[in-house]
Amino acid sequence: MVFVGRDSELAALGEAYEHAREGSPSTVLLGGEAGVGKTRLIAEFTAPLREGAWLLWGDCPQVGENGLAFAPFTAMLRRLLREIGTDGFLRLLPRGEPGELGRLLPLLGRPAGDDDPALTQARLFEEILTVFENLAEDRPLVIVAEDVHWSDRSSRELLDFLIRNQQAAAAFLLVVTYRSDHLHRTHPLRPVLAEWDRRPWTSRMELGRLGRGEVVRQLRGLLGGEPAPAVVEDVLRRSEGNPLFVEALSARVGAPVPASIRDLLIASLDRLPPETRRVVQAVAVGGARVGHALLRAVTGLDDTCLTDALSPAVSANLLLIEEEVYAFRHALIQEVLYDDVLPGERGRLHVRYAEALEAEPELAPLGRAAYESALHWHAAKRHPARTLAAARRAAAEAAASLAHAEQLHMLLRVLELWDQVPDPAASRADVLDEAVRAAIAAGENATAVQLVETALSAELDPARAGWLIAHRGELRHLLGMPGDLDDLREAARLTPREHPARATVLNLLANRLLTVPLEAEGRVAAREALEAAQAAGDAKAEVIATVNLTYALARAGDLDAQLPHLIDAQATARRVGDQGALLHAYRCEADVLQGAGRYAEAAEAARHGLTAATRAGLARTAGPIHAGNLAEALIALGRWEEAAEIVEHALRVTPTPSLSAYLMVLAGTIALARGDLGAAENAAAHAREVFTRGTSYAQDHLLLVRMEVDLRKAQGRTADAARLVGEALSSGRTSPRYLWPVIEAGASLPVPGLPAAAAELPVIGPVQEAHRLACTAETGQPDLWPRVAAAWTDLRQPYPRALALLRAAEHAAEAGDRSAASSHLTDAARDADRLRAEPLRARIERLARLARIPLVAQGETDPAEERAFGLTPRERDVLRLLAEGRTNRQIAEELFISVKTAGAHVSNILAKLGVRSRVQAATAAHRHQLI
């Protein structure tokens, strides 16, 4: 096809490429109708880049109703594997191991054993992104995914993962093409495109038809000379500027023009020999791409005869040859030719394809034979028994490739065919159970609930009913539906004591009860789960039960006695290879340490969790959870810059809505303390929208309420602040850990029932005691403020300490003790300055001015600080890793910050040390004992 026009589109793609080359993420969503030239535009754009950039390309072939699982990525990764070899490919992967990618690229070796489906797919996605990141560090990377209107759900989910994480990854350009005229109102790509388009680094481009001048230029190139005016008018009228149609019409100059575009596209087929037409029709039934060996098996022709039959089609530019594969020049031609095959012949050819693939699975790409065979049996619309059996095999194949959506699709097909097959070689109950698990793994939670309801409608034994109801409880929680806890209680009641699944069911119940929290009931459930796991010899369930029970007992105040059990559980999780349990144990350890006010230890536990997530290949999936724990501990310790960097990076990898809302609350807390009320308002609004949309528990809701109360007070909206406190007190959320901060914030407000609630609420640990003291000081005993400040000093929390010192200074000034007031204000000012808490500093200065109390001048710079060259704690962390020889990317991964932020820290360190290179910085760090 002659390429004309598209100057502005080429320029836009070039600009996006330059953004990526300069380190900024970039995605282009390229839409347009069939035949408008999307593929040709991409070819023209990438042609000059082939020498200096990595170019990865894959398309979504039109196969069945749901497409082939991971088709574009499997294609591009297989090409990359051939190009750089196995050793080169493994160097791009974490630890040089194939991991889950072996499921898509069996030549690398399939991973041993099966893990939690959610974790394995998350790990696969992270491994693919890691490959792309490492390629992009070598030279610019351009990834093209074509025809995503035909994509399978797994491919769309992977694309979504890549686009969401682009901002936090090494920069590369991702181009996604689709047929805009194919997207009907309910097309699954429509909402996904809208979501992608909202990303700041994404641009959407619609490729329109050619104008008159461009059509003339295209005809001039096609005809080798100036077209006659009548030809121009006729072609322009009939093609309406579609380049594919212009080309097809140009071949008919001087001949009668077919009545329809359909006839136009297949007109060249009529001029081919009969045997060629027959074989081309067989190719059309096979799909957009068919391998030579598979086509030979379907047609029954030997290599020579098959080559002779297809040569005229290749010469006529109807078919292209790509690495022993025949492909139509344009997918639209394949669609038209497929529809042109008579129904009987079409069905016969589908059967031939299905039988050939079953007889010789190697005729399909590795790991695709069962799925493609099932699609052909279904399209043949005959032989329901063979269709059902093929769908079962395809479901197993999809599960092995972590294509859970495609696995679910095949299992649903099995269930549809069930009544048409007299004696299926399986149990319908087993298929339903498998479909429930596949739906959960695919994120099709509403479908999973429907499948559970279908399964429960039959007469079931108690154990199976308990298993299904437990899944429904988990699903109701995910969907924000009521009844989730009731379901889990009922599941635990139904599951017999001796049944091996009882421990798992009880673990689910205990985890939910402790999340609400319903502490006493949660401890009972966790203890029963531990006993059931030990009785069943279920090591993995025992680890989870141990973590849940020790977590519950530690939260009740028995922390020191329980920490060794948590450490033992972590060791057991590592020994049995249960990464999910290990991450859960680290999260619980960080959480209980945080609740006890042991923030430095909590931060260390959270860092261990981040490291474990990275080693498990789940840095972007599980990492944000541990990053949130780390950031919360750092905020308490007054290390706000570090916390802000971590939260910013965690938000860039776009975690789940509830986790995103939690991270936004942490970011809003820092913003509010530093006087950025707009950022705090945005964070509060986002979090409240998320928490009111679904199920939220005390740690989510009350953490937000505390920030909102402080925000409303800062805005002078005390009535709104009092209302929020009152609503929290009456909400039934009685977690002392999260309710005490709200009560303290409301102590200065007219909130009915607050004193009574404070009197009744238990106090567990020093943090809650500090909040209780502050509440008591605020509500009538101001002489307690120095004790409040001392309590926060012991807990190493500088911000609430400074607030308490300010209130102590106010009381001392009123009592006429100017010396004490000056001392308190000076200490508070020092904390406020270090934290850059401008509103607090302004309040301190205002009191000093009104009471005419002098602020004692700050002392000389600490000699130790001078010896440290003014490096911040975060810069010391970066310097330590730099001295170990880590790259910026490795530093970023270790500290869970962006590569750009790591680079900024390295630059600052070099400047402060007065050196020019990383080697010199490492030398200086050792010489001056900075690490």
Side-chain angles (χ1 to χ4, degrees), residues 326-346:
Y326 299 105
F328 286 95
R329 181 169 56 86
H330 196 284
L332 192 60
I333 298 173
Q334 186 264 334
E335 293 176 49
V336 172
L337 288 175
Y338 179 84
D339 291 339
D340 198 53
V341 181
L342 294 174
E345 177 65 9
R346 190 188 307 157

Side-chain angles (χ1 to χ4, degrees), residues 381-398:
K381 295 182 171 58
R382 58 187 79 175
H383 308 300
R386 299 191 71 173
T387 305
L388 185 148
R392 282 284 282 163
R393 290 192 298 272
E397 184 180 85

Side-chain angles (χ1 to χ4, degrees), residues 20 130 208 283 366 382 404 413 465 600 696 714 780:
T130 298
V283 177
L366 283 171
R382 58 187 79 175
H404 303 301
R413 180 166 292 168
S696 67

Side-chain angles (χ1 to χ4, degrees), residues 209 212 215 230-241 246 249 257 261:
R209 298 176 179 181
R212 180 187 182 87
V215 169
V231 170
V232 171
E233 293 302 325
D234 186 58
V235 170
L236 186 61
R237 176 176 60 83
R238 298 183 67 84
S239 70
E240 297 181 333
V246 170
L249 287 163
V257 178
I261 291 296

Side-chain angles (χ1 to χ4, degrees), residues 106-163:
L107 289 176
L108 297 178
R110 284 189 176 274
D114 291 320
D115 204 340
D116 180 339
L119 292 182
T120 50
Q121 189 179 74
R123 193 180 297 114
L124 171 67
F125 286 11
E126 297 214 20
E127 288 170 359
I128 291 173
L129 181 54
T130 298
V131 168
F132 293 160
E133 284 184 313
N134 288 330
L135 285 173
E137 286 199 340
D138 174 56
R139 58 181 189 258
L141 170 65
V142 178
I143 302 167
V144 180
E146 284 212 271
D147 295 330
V148 295
H149 54 279
W150 285 323
S151 61
D152 60 289
R153 174 165 175 157
S154 296
S155 294
R156 291 194 297 274
E157 288 175 346
L158 179 49
L159 276 170
D160 182 63
F161 177 83
L162 295 175
I163 293 172

Side-chain angles (χ1 to χ4, degrees), residues 405-590:
E406 289 64 41
Q407 177 194 9
L408 173 62
H409 173 67
M410 285 298 164
L411 291 171
L412 292 176
R413 180 166 292 168
V414 169
L415 292 170
E416 289 171 7
L417 291 167
W418 200 264
D419 294 334
Q420 301 178 39
V421 178
D423 187 23
S427 157
R428 187 170 185 271
D430 290 343
V431 176
L432 272 170
D433 288 353
E434 191 178 343
V436 169
R437 288 192 292 267
I440 292 171
E444 293 281 3
N445 296 328
T447 300
V449 169
Q450 293 173 359
L451 288 165
V452 168
E453 300 288 0
T454 300
L456 288 171
S457 64
E459 188 173 334
L460 305 173
D461 64 85
R464 184 159 180 270
W467 182 88
L468 289 165
I469 291 171
H471 276 300
R472 188 176 66 186
E474 290 291 281
L475 291 163
R476 281 177 165 170
H477 169 65
L478 291 171
L479 293 167
M481 298 168 60
D484 57 328
L485 195 50
D486 290 340
D487 269 351
L488 291 173
R489 287 175 174 138
E490 176 67 5
R493 187 188 68 79
L494 286 171
T495 307
R497 288 192 172 276
E498 67 281 0
H499 198 277
R502 180 168 174 78
T504 300
V505 171
L506 285 166
N507 275 333
L508 292 174
L509 175 61
N511 195 52
R512 185 59 40 76
L513 289 167
L514 294 172
T515 303
V516 172
L518 294 170
E519 301 281 1
E521 189 183 354
R523 288 194 293 273
V524 171
R527 190 170 280 109
E528 289 183 8
L530 181 58
E531 293 169 357
Q534 290 171 339
D538 188 339
K540 291 190 175 183
E542 184 176 347
V543 173
I544 294 290
T546 301
V547 171
N548 285 340
L549 181 57
T550 55
Y551 178 53
L553 295 173
R555 291 204 321 195
D558 192 22
L559 176 59
D560 288 327
Q562 298 306 319
L563 276 177
H565 297 303
L566 265 179
I567 304 304
D568 289 345
Q570 291 164 7
T572 304
R574 280 191 290 270
R575 190 182 72 249
V576 301
D578 192 337
Q579 293 163 336
L582 178 61
L583 294 173
H584 178 54
Y586 278 129
R587 184 192 65 76
C588 290
E589 182 188 4

Side-chain angles (χ1 to χ4, degrees), residues 84-413:
I84 65 177
T86 302
D87 291 342
F89 196 98
L90 290 175
R91 282 194 290 270
L92 299 173
L93 286 165
R95 302 176 301 282
E97 299 172 356
E100 305 301 336
L101 257 176
R103 299 175 185 271
L104 299 188
L105 305 174
L107 289 176
L108 297 178
R110 284 189 176 274
D114 291 320
D115 204 340
D116 180 339
L119 292 182
T120 50
Q121 189 179 74
R123 193 180 297 114
L124 171 67
F125 286 11
E126 297 214 20
E127 288 170 359
I128 291 173
L129 181 54
T130 298
V131 168
F132 293 160
E133 284 184 313
N134 288 330
L135 285 173
E137 286 199 340
D138 174 56
R139 58 181 189 258
L141 170 65
V142 178
I143 302 167
V144 180
E146 284 212 271
D147 295 330
V148 295
H149 54 279
W150 285 323
S151 61
D152 60 289
R153 174 165 175 157
S154 296
S155 294
R156 291 194 297 274
E157 288 175 346
L158 179 49
L159 276 170
D160 182 63
F161 177 83
L162 295 175
I163 293 172
R164 284 190 291 109
N165 285 283
Q166 257 190 302
Q167 196 177 25
F172 55 83
L173 171 60
L174 175 60
V175 182
V176 177
T177 77
Y178 59 94
R179 283 193 197 172
S180 48
D181 57 330
H182 199 82
L183 303 186
H184 52 76
R185 186 174 56 84
T186 59
H187 195 286
L189 186 62
R190 285 181 72 95
V192 181
L193 281 173
E195 182 63 31
W196 294 343
D197 198 25
R198 281 196 283 271
R199 306 287 172 193
W201 55 91
T202 297
S203 59
R204 198 164 179 173
M205 187 188 307
E206 187 72 19
L207 199 60
R209 298 176 179 181
L210 301 178
R212 180 187 182 87
E214 292 164 330
V215 169
V216 171
R217 288 167 55 198
Q218 185 182 1
L219 284 171
R220 191 180 295 136
L222 290 167
L223 299 175
E226 197 66 31
V231 170
V232 171
E233 293 302 325
D234 186 58
V235 170
L236 186 61
R237 176 176 60 83
R238 298 183 67 84
S239 70
E240 297 181 333
N242 183 296
L244 178 66
F245 301 160
V246 170
E247 181 180 15
L249 287 163
S250 70
R252 306 287 299 182
V253 172
V257 178
S260 69
I261 291 296
R262 174 191 166 283
D263 293 337
L264 175 66
L265 290 175
I266 64 170
S268 57
L269 186 67
D270 295 336
R271 298 192 294 271
L272 298 177
E275 182 66 5
T276 300
R277 290 202 299 271
R278 186 178 72 83
V279 175
V280 169
Q281 286 181 329
V283 177
V285 172
R289 286 179 171 78
V290 179
H292 178 87
L294 176 58
L295 188 60
R296 183 183 59 208
V298 169
T299 60
L301 299 175
D302 61 27
D303 284 332
T304 302
C305 292
L306 183 58
T307 301
D308 290 344
L310 287 175
S311 291
V314 173
S315 300
N317 202 26
L318 192 66
L319 287 176
L320 307 175
I321 302 176
E322 301 173 355
E323 301 174 351
E324 295 291 312
V325 171
Y326 299 105
F328 286 95
R329 181 169 56 86
H330 196 284
L332 192 60
I333 298 173
Q334 186 264 334
E335 293 176 49
V336 172
L337 288 175
Y338 179 84
D339 291 339
D340 198 53
V341 181
L342 294 174
E345 177 65 9
R346 190 188 307 157
R348 186 186 68 80
L349 285 168
H350 277 302
V351 170
R352 291 294 302 275
Y353 272 106
E355 290 175 336
L357 290 166
E358 287 182 353
E360 298 180 78
E362 64 275 12
L363 294 176
L366 283 171
R368 295 258 188 93
Y371 195 79
E372 292 191 21
S373 172
L375 293 174
H376 283 297
W377 279 120
H378 180 70
K381 295 182 171 58
R382 58 187 79 175
H383 308 300
R386 299 191 71 173
T387 305
L388 185 148
R392 282 284 282 163
R393 290 192 298 272
E397 184 180 85
S401 297
L402 305 180
H404 303 301
E406 289 64 41
Q407 177 194 9
L408 173 62
H409 173 67
M410 285 298 164
L411 291 171
L412 292 176
R413 180 166 292 168

